[in-house]
Amino acid sequence: MEENLNGQIKEVIISALELEDMGPEDIDDAAPLFGAGLGLDSIDALELGVALKKRFGVKFSSESKENKEHFASVNALAAYIGSQLKEGGAK
C-alpha cells in the first residue's frame, strides 16, 4: 500500500502545483520537496496542503512545527498520511 500511497501523493503534487512537464517517476520519494529537491516554496506548501486534505482527508495545522517534517519528502508525507488513515483521522 505504501508504494501506492507514494504514487497517489506524487499525482496530487503534480496536479495541484500544475507541474505538467513532470511525471510521478520524475519525483524521488526521498528527495526534499523544498529547496534543493523539488524546489517548492511556501505558497506551494499551502496549495499542496489543501490538495492533500481534499484527496486524503488529512489536516495540517498552520501552527504545527511538525509540518516541516511532514512535507520533507514524498516518503514523509506518505508516513504521515498513512498514520492518519490508520488512526481514522482521515477518510
Side-chain angles (χ1 to χ4, degrees), residues 26-59:
D26 296 322
I27 302 174
D28 182 343
D29 290 352
L33 295 177
F34 296 89
L38 204 52
L40 304 183
D41 61 25
S42 58
I43 303 291
D44 294 328
L46 289 172
E47 291 178 15
L48 185 54
V50 169
L52 290 168
K53 181 179 177 185
K54 282 183 187 173
R55 173 64 180 85
F56 297 104
V58 296
K59 294 181 182 173

